């Protein structure tokens, strides 16, 4: 692959030498370089900015771009305070370095819809500090009072009319101290924040030049495809490499901790060799489990009390005194992330150092794994982050990185490990399956007097951050259930941690994805039992939850709640808070005579506090809705004899164009606390659609996926 | 094995690989044209869509031997400078999210507009069967209409 057409030779060499390979992430808009610009090193006021004497502004993006738009949003934060000329902005992904640790997580990672919340202050301060030092440089150059100078559109301007662009101030600014507490602009003065700035990564994504992990090529690189035990936790008992080695192009067959790697000149010979390999597996204890056995385990475990996550009043007493009672069990399946780009990683383990080129959400840990497997000090490990062809939490894991490192070490060459779609679907860290037991009691007027919710599910945190699980309580497993926002005097929420042997991981919106389905479906059941309109019923119970109520009202109003619909079309509504953002959705749904569910329109209201880029917020709501709707309609990973049943898109289907509803997004103007947007669009869609199905058919969907409604 | 000859983006190419090697992997691994993506390998997702003699084709299931003598166009061959109307419409609507499916989406859209210059929504539904895991379908639809209207 040749370098991008617009990347100048100098930039290319810079990036290439930094990356040690032809990894070109950034791009330049034509006509950026100023002829006759002063030469010299750039101004680097902090870890995120390099201002060149040629006016270029290089922003070091320290979060992974996986579609969520962060590679545009972070530069917007900097550029606003820097008073930069937006057309001069270029981006480069950050190396692994503690300076880039996430302010909320304390590690270099991307997730939790938290990138903007973490960067909101530090990146604006970084831009402001650079602006101030450039103003200082201009005042010094002109020998004028700095109060008479201001920054605007990539230049400092003196009230007397003199003007110097940033590139001309770099040399002087480099000699001056960078202020540590620069003033920030008033929101009323923002020119970039809150506007629809086009994404910086769109141009390379329409001409094939954006480099994803799977596109990485380094000199001498081989490609590996790995045979892994089909049963979780199984191991290689023995293998015969002869047939694989006989495939032309296959160079090595090596055992690594996850299985057998077939290493070849390209993907096709490696895959052909892998498929020809004869491996005997020691399948281990998980070989006995199935979806049915897991379902039985969950139902049994639901009979016992769990770790208490919330306890208001006395729910048991209130239940026994209630005028009417509801009991229900809800279930949600394991789900695969199915990122469009299958898992892959390129690594080069050498005695003197390690390079990792990865579409990763977790540079900090990749760095450590590289040092561990490479047997070198961390300073000798370089992590090069590519574009990610989707992440959704899957690329927070390290399995694919470890495979590339081990294989490269074993064969003594740079190796790109590439997973087939089947590998990707069957060797996952799945969204946990879950089982829920709900009880509610209503008083004579239909208002809820008691609400209990028992969550039975595996714990992601128990695997990844076990210290956070205390006395059987994983606070994340009950996220969205604990914060049940409705005004109910007696509430009890508990959690029964239930491991199943199936690996679980963070899947877009994590445990909110099922807890929202359950809470927002069950409140709909209550509304029906009370004989009340499901929107008005919710609204009446959200008196102490104004941000929930505001998005609920906005979605209902924009959807025309209560107004007539075409024959056969029905509405459902849901509201949920996740990652500090409040989202309500109204779905318009019809159910065909064969039970086929069709979603025609989704009206979405979101309150995520101050907005960086409304175009991105809309895109992320649309994206989250498609992700959640795909899961609600079709998503199910089944287990048989300890193996995943599904393998590819024919049996793990995705929503496509013809099924895409019209999505309308309404953003609440808000100066309240900030929330994320990458995930919060996902949780409400399943219950909104299921509640519409109930309105259409009278059938309550208590088990996902929806499939055919019969 | 005799080398297999065909044309890619107007240039003659000759490759010497196993005849069942899919065109996708010849493009990516042998010719270094990584704009065409791998998503499923079984003609389900459309990430690997290229044009063979002008027709949109899922290159992951096309053995290279069947491409001999044919004309292949990939995303890299659409324009030199992102000036194809479909690319311009994609930029104007800021369609891509992760971007991984977009080469295939664009190649499918280009083929649709060549046969159906003014597609209806139903035409788009029928022709655009590629998967986008990021859910950019709404913007893809808008961008196709925009390209049809001259961007
Ligand atoms: S990779 Fe060819 S259709 Fe999916
Ligand atoms: S943009 Fe990510 S899969 Fe389409």
């Amino acid at each position: 692959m040749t370098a991008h057409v617009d990347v100048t030779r100098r930039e290319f060499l810079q990036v290439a030498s930094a990356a040690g390979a032809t990894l070109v992430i950034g791009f330049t808009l034509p006509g950026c370089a100023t002829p006759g610009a002063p030469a010299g090193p750039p101004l680097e006021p902090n870890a995120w900015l390099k201002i060149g004497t040629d006016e270029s502004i290089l922003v070091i993006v320290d979060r992974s771009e996986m579609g969520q738009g962060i590679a545009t949003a972070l530069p917007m934060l900097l550029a606003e305070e820097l008073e930069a000329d937006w057309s001069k902005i270029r981006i480069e992904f950050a190396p692994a370095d503690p300076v880039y640790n996430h302010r909320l997580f304390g590690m270099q990672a991307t997730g939790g819809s938290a990138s903007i919340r973490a960067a909101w202050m530090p990146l604006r301060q970084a831009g402001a500090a650079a602006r101030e030092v450039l103003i200082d440089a201009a005042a010094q150059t002109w020998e004028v009072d700095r109060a008479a100078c201001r920054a605007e559109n990539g230049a400092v301007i003196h009230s007397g009319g003199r003007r110097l662009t940033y590139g001309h101030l770099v040399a002087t600014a480099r000699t001056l101290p960078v202020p540590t507490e620069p003033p920030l602009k008033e929101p009323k003065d923002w020119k970039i924040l809150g506007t629809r700035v086009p994404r910086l990564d769109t141009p390379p994504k329409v001409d094939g030049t954006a480099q994803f992990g799977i596109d990485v090529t380094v000199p001498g690189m081989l490609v590996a495809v790995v045979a892994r035990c089909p049963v979780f936790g199984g191991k290689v008992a023995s293998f015969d490499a002869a047939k694989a080695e006989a495939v032309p192009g296959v160079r090595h067959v090596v055992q690594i901790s996850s299985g057998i790697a077939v290493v070849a000149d390209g993907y096709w010979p490696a895959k052909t060799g892998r498929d020809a390999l004869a491996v005997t597996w020691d399948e281990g204890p998980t070989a006995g489990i199935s979806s049915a056995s897991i379902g039985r385990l969950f139902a049994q475990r639901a009979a016992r009390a769990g770790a208490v996550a919330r306890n208001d009043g006395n729910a048991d007493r209130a239940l026994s005194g209630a005028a009417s009672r509801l009991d229900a069990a809800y279930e949600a399946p394991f789900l695969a992330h199915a990122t469009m780009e299958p898992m892959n990683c390129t690594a080069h383990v050498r005695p003197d150092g390690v390079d990792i080129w990865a579409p990763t959400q977790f540079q900090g840990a990749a760095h450590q794994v590289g040092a561990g497997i490479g047997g070198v000090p961390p300073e000798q490990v370089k992590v090069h982050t590519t574009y990610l062809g989707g992440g959704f939490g899957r690329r927070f894991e390290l399995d694919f990185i470890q495979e590339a490192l081990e294989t490269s070490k074993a064969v003594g060459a740079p190796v790109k490990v590439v997973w087939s779609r089947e590998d990707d679907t069957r060797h996952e860290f799945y969204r946990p399956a879950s089982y829920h037991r709900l009880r509610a009691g209503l008083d004579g007027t239909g208002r809820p007097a008691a609400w209990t919710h028992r969550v039975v599910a595996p714990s992601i945190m128990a695997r990844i951050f076990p210290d956070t699980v205390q006395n059987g309580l994983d606070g994340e497993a009950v996220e969205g259930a604990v914060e049940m926002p409705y005004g109910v005097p007696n509430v009890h929420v508990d959690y029964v941690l239930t491991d199943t042997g199936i690996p679980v991981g963070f899947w877009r919106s994590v445990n909110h994805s099922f807890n929202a389905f359950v809470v927002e479906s069950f409140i709909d059941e209550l509304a029906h039992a009370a004989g009340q309109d499901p929107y008005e019923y919710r609204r009446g119970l959200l008196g102490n939850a104004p941000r929930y109520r505001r998005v609920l009202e906005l979605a209902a109003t924009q959807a025309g709640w209560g107004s007539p619909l075409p024959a056969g079309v029905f509405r459902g509504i849901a509201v949920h808070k996740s990652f500090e953002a409040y989202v309500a959705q109204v779905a318009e749904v019809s159910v065909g005579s064969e039970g086929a569910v069709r979603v025609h329109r989704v009206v979405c209201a979101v309150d995520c506090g101050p907005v960086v880029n409304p175009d991105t917020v809309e895109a992320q709501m649309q994206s989250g809705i498609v992700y959640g709707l795909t899961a609600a309609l079709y998503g199910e990973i089944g287990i048989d004899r300890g193996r995943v049943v599904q393998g590819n898109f024919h049996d793990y289907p995705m929503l496509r164009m013809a099924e895409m509803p019209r999505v309308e997004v309404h953003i609440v103007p808000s100066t309240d606390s900030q929330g994320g947007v990458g995930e919060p669009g996902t949780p409400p869609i399943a219950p909104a659609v299921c509640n519409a199905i109930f309105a259409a058919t009278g059938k309550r969907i208590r088990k996902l996926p929806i499939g055919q409604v019969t | 094995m005799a080398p297999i000859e065909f044309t890619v983006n107007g240039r003659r190419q000759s490759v010497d690989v196993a005849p069942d090697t899919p065109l996708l992997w010849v493009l990516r691994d042998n010719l270094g044209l990584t704009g065409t993506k791998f998503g499923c390998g079984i003609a389900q997702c459309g990430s690997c869509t290229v044009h063979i003699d002008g027709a949109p084709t899922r290159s992951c299931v096309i053995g290279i031997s069947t491409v001999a003598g044919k004309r292949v166009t990939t995303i890299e061959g659409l324009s030199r400078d992102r000036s194809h109307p479909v690319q311009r419409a994609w930029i104007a609507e800021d369609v891509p999210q992760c971007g991984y499916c977009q080469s295939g989406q664009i190649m499918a859209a280009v083929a649709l507009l060549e046969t159906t210059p003014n597609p209806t929504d139903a035409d788009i539904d029928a022709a655009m069967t590629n998967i986008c895991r990021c859910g950019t379908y709404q913007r893809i639809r808008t961008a196709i209409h925009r390209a049809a209207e001259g961007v």
Side-chain angles (χ1 to χ4, degrees):
Chain A
M1 184 68 222
T2 51
H4 193 280
V5 287
D6 285 343
V7 176
T8 65
R9 185 179 147 72
R10 187 187 62 80
E11 288 159 345
F12 174 72
L13 290 176
Q14 208 176 7
V15 177
S17 65
T22 58
L23 184 65
V24 181
I25 302 290
F27 73 98
T28 312
L29 294 166
C32 278
T34 312
L43 172 66
E44 298 184 44
N46 50 60
W48 298 282
L49 261 179
K50 287 183 193 169
I51 303 174
T53 54
D54 61 353
E55 310 297 339
S56 66
I57 297 177
L58 182 65
V59 175
I60 311 300
V61 173
D62 60 6
R63 301 276 83 85
S64 303
E65 177 56 69
M66 44 190 165
Q68 82 279 39
I70 203 66
T72 304
L74 296 182
M76 286 174 74
L77 297 177
L78 279 162
E80 178 66 68
E81 291 293 340
L82 181 56
E83 299 288 353
D85 172 355
W86 181 255
S87 71
K88 302 288 195 287
I89 302 276
R90 293 188 302 121
I91 54 172
E92 204 172 274
F93 292 119
D97 189 307
V99 73
Y100 300 118
N101 281 355
H102 192 290
R103 298 292 164 112
L104 303 177
F105 306 155
M107 55 196 180
Q108 194 174 342
T110 305
S113 298
S115 299
I116 293 296
R117 282 179 280 156
W120 181 246
M121 285 305 287
L123 282 201
R124 287 189 301 144
Q125 282 166 341
R131 176 196 70 217
E132 293 299 306
V133 78
L134 286 161
I135 294 176
D136 288 341
Q140 184 173 316
T141 305
W142 294 325
E143 296 180 345
V144 296
D145 180 4
R146 99 181 282 293
C149 301
R150 68 192 158 86
E152 190 181 300
N153 199 31
V156 180
I157 299 166
H158 182 249
S159 55
R162 277 190 284 187
R163 183 174 181 276
L164 271 177
T165 56
Y166 288 171
H168 289 84
L169 294 166
V170 163
T172 309
R174 280 173 57 84
T175 67
L176 301 175
V178 178
T180 49
E181 288 190 9
L184 294 181
K185 292 169 72 174
E186 294 290 324
K188 67 173 173 46
D189 297 325
W190 286 345
K191 298 178 198 125
I192 294 173
L193 294 180
T195 70
R196 292 174 182 268
V197 172
R199 291 176 68 125
L200 290 168
D201 56 347
T202 292
K205 287 178 176 177
V206 303
D207 65 5
T209 56
Q211 222 174 0
F212 296 88
I214 203 168
D215 302 330
V216 167
T217 299
V218 298
M221 184 187 83
L222 299 170
V223 177
V225 176
V226 178
R228 304 170 191 83
C229 184
V231 176
F232 296 106
K235 301 253 173 304
V236 176
S238 64
F239 72 103
D240 178 354
K243 288 211 180 85
E245 284 167 347
V247 173
V250 170
R251 303 286 194 90
H252 311 270
V253 177
V254 293
Q255 184 162 358
I256 57 174
S257 51
S258 68
I260 310 294
V262 177
V263 188
D265 294 337
Y267 175 81
W268 193 250
K271 161 95 164 34
T272 308
R274 191 276 302 265
D275 294 350
L277 199 62
V279 188
T280 307
W281 303 104
D282 171 4
E283 295 186 347
T286 312
I289 70 162
S290 66
S291 295
S293 72
I294 292 167
R296 283 194 300 274
L297 173 68
F298 280 169
Q300 278 166 17
R301 303 272 300 189
R304 48 169 102 159
V308 178
R310 175 174 171 184
N311 191 33
D312 304 352
N314 186 329
D316 277 337
R317 192 185 312 143
L319 275 169
S320 52
S324 61
R325 278 187 58 160
L326 289 87
D327 279 83
Y330 281 81
E331 289 174 75
F334 291 110
L335 294 170
H337 298 77
T339 59
M340 205 72 232
E341 178 193 19
M343 293 304 110
N344 67 83
C345 176
T346 303
H348 191 188
V349 177
R350 303 174 309 276
D352 66 332
V354 171
D355 281 271
I356 300 168
W357 296 266
T360 176
Q361 291 177 241
F362 201 173
Q363 290 81 3
H367 196 235
Q368 287 166 17
V369 172
I373 294 174
V376 297
E379 315 80 77
Q380 283 163 243
V381 179
K382 283 197 184 131
V383 179
H384 315 278
T385 304
T386 62
Y387 280 114
L388 282 61
F392 313 124
R394 177 63 180 88
R395 290 192 153 102
F396 183 81
E397 304 294 343
L398 302 164
D399 50 343
F400 51 98
I401 295 173
Q402 191 167 336
E403 285 185 343
L405 287 162
E406 288 185 17
T407 310
S408 171
K409 187 177 181 182
V411 305
V415 171
K416 173 162 66 181
V417 167
V418 178
W419 295 33
S420 71
R421 175 58 57 191
E422 290 77 8
D423 296 341
D424 194 275
T425 306
R426 293 182 174 146
H427 300 279
E428 258 270 31
F429 295 87
Y430 300 88
R431 193 283 299 267
S434 62
Y435 183 97
H436 307 255
R437 188 165 166 228
L438 280 292
R439 296 179 302 161
L442 306 183
D443 68 18
T445 69
R447 281 185 78 89
W451 170 288
T452 75
H453 183 172
R454 175 163 300 154
V455 180
V456 182
S459 164
I460 302 165
M461 298 303 269
R463 173 175 68 87
I464 303 181
F465 302 110
D467 293 351
T468 64
V469 181
Q470 299 284 338
N471 304 319
L473 181 60
D474 168 1
E476 283 210 352
V478 291
E479 61 190 0
V482 163
E483 307 93 315
M484 191 284 294
Y486 299 106
V488 185
N490 304 284
V491 178
H492 188 85
V493 179
D494 63 355
Y495 172 57
V496 185
L497 194 161
T498 306
D499 186 26
T500 66
I502 307 300
V504 291
F506 303 117
W507 182 98
R508 195 176 197 170
S509 80
V510 197
N511 304 295
H512 287 285
S513 65
F514 49 75
N515 286 324
F517 161 62
V518 173
V519 169
E520 282 300 296
S521 295
F522 197 55
I523 193 75
D524 223 66
E525 295 204 44
L526 268 56
H528 180 70
Q532 293 181 32
D533 175 85
Y535 160 58
E536 293 295 350
Y537 189 73
R538 283 177 174 79
R539 201 169 156 263
L541 295 171
L542 288 173
N544 292 324
R547 293 182 79 179
Y548 283 90
R549 186 166 152 148
R550 193 162 45 169
V551 289
L552 184 81
E553 289 173 347
L554 182 60
T557 307
Q558 294 293 340
W561 187 266
S563 67
L565 282 164
V569 179
F570 295 83
R571 291 190 184 96
I573 193 165
V575 60
H576 191 78
K577 178 188 88 167
S578 59
F579 309 96
E580 303 305 318
Y582 299 75
V583 179
Q585 290 165 5
V586 174
E588 295 179 3
V589 175
S590 62
V591 180
S593 53
E594 306 288 305
V597 173
R598 170 86 216 198
V599 182
H600 303 271
R601 177 181 179 224
V602 178
V603 176
C604 174
V606 52
D607 172 3
C608 56
V611 168
V612 173
N613 187 334
D615 202 56
T616 307
V617 174
E618 286 175 16
Q620 284 310 296
M621 290 301 119
Q622 293 172 352
S623 177
I625 287 167
V626 172
Y627 205 79
L629 185 55
T630 302
L633 293 173
Y634 316 118
E636 177 164 32
I637 287 294
I639 307 295
D640 180 37
R641 296 172 296 130
R643 301 153 158 77
V644 167
V645 175
Q646 291 76 14
N648 207 320
F649 296 126
H650 64 290
D651 56 8
Y652 191 68
M654 299 288 128
L655 193 95
R656 297 180 196 242
M657 178 70 84
E659 301 136 280
M660 177 72 196
R662 185 154 52 90
V663 176
E664 297 163 26
V665 179
H666 302 275
I667 301 171
V668 174
S670 172
T671 52
D672 284 334
S673 59
Q674 213 166 26
V677 295
E679 298 168 272
T682 298
I685 190 64
V689 169
C690 291
N691 294 337
I693 291 170
F694 178 78
T697 64
K699 184 174 156 76
R700 180 62 63 185
I701 307 290
R702 297 196 186 90
K703 183 174 183 179
L704 293 177
I706 296 164
Q708 307 279 100
V709 179
T710 49
Chain B
M1 284 186 296
I4 296 156
E5 298 192 6
F6 57 106
T7 307
V8 181
N9 301 331
R11 283 176 64 173
R12 306 254 329 233
Q13 298 285 358
S14 172
V15 293
D16 199 356
V17 296
D20 68 340
T21 308
L23 171 60
L24 169 64
W25 295 106
V26 171
L27 292 171
R28 291 182 54 82
D29 284 352
N30 296 87
L31 303 181
L33 294 171
T34 53
T36 305
K37 301 301 190 217
F38 166 58
C40 69
I42 59 165
Q44 275 283 324
C45 74
S47 298
C48 63
T49 305
V50 300
H51 298 174
I52 300 182
D53 289 343
T57 308
R58 294 185 172 177
S59 64
C60 65
V61 292
I62 302 297
I64 194 65
S65 59
T66 67
V67 185
K70 301 206 164 137
R71 210 162 31 82
V72 176
T73 307
T74 70
I75 185 77
E76 291 91 347
L78 211 50
S79 71
R80 291 188 164 279
D81 49 5
R82 310 181 199 109
S83 60
H84 189 285
V86 171
Q87 290 172 310
R88 286 194 285 134
W90 246 245
I91 290 170
E93 296 295 334
D94 240 350
V95 173
Q97 289 189 22
C98 85
Y100 193 76
C101 74
Q102 298 295 342
S103 298
Q105 304 281 3
I106 288 170
M107 295 310 282
V110 168
L112 165 65
L113 288 165
E114 274 165 17
T115 54
T116 313
N118 270 301
T120 62
D121 280 341
D123 294 331
I124 292 172
D125 285 348
M128 297 298 293
T129 58
N130 291 12
I131 293 171
C132 175
R133 187 59 167 145
C134 299
T136 63
Y137 300 115
Q138 189 155 313
R139 290 191 183 196
I140 290 174
R141 187 188 299 284
T142 313
I144 291 173
H145 286 307
R146 185 174 188 137
E149 285 155 19
V151 192

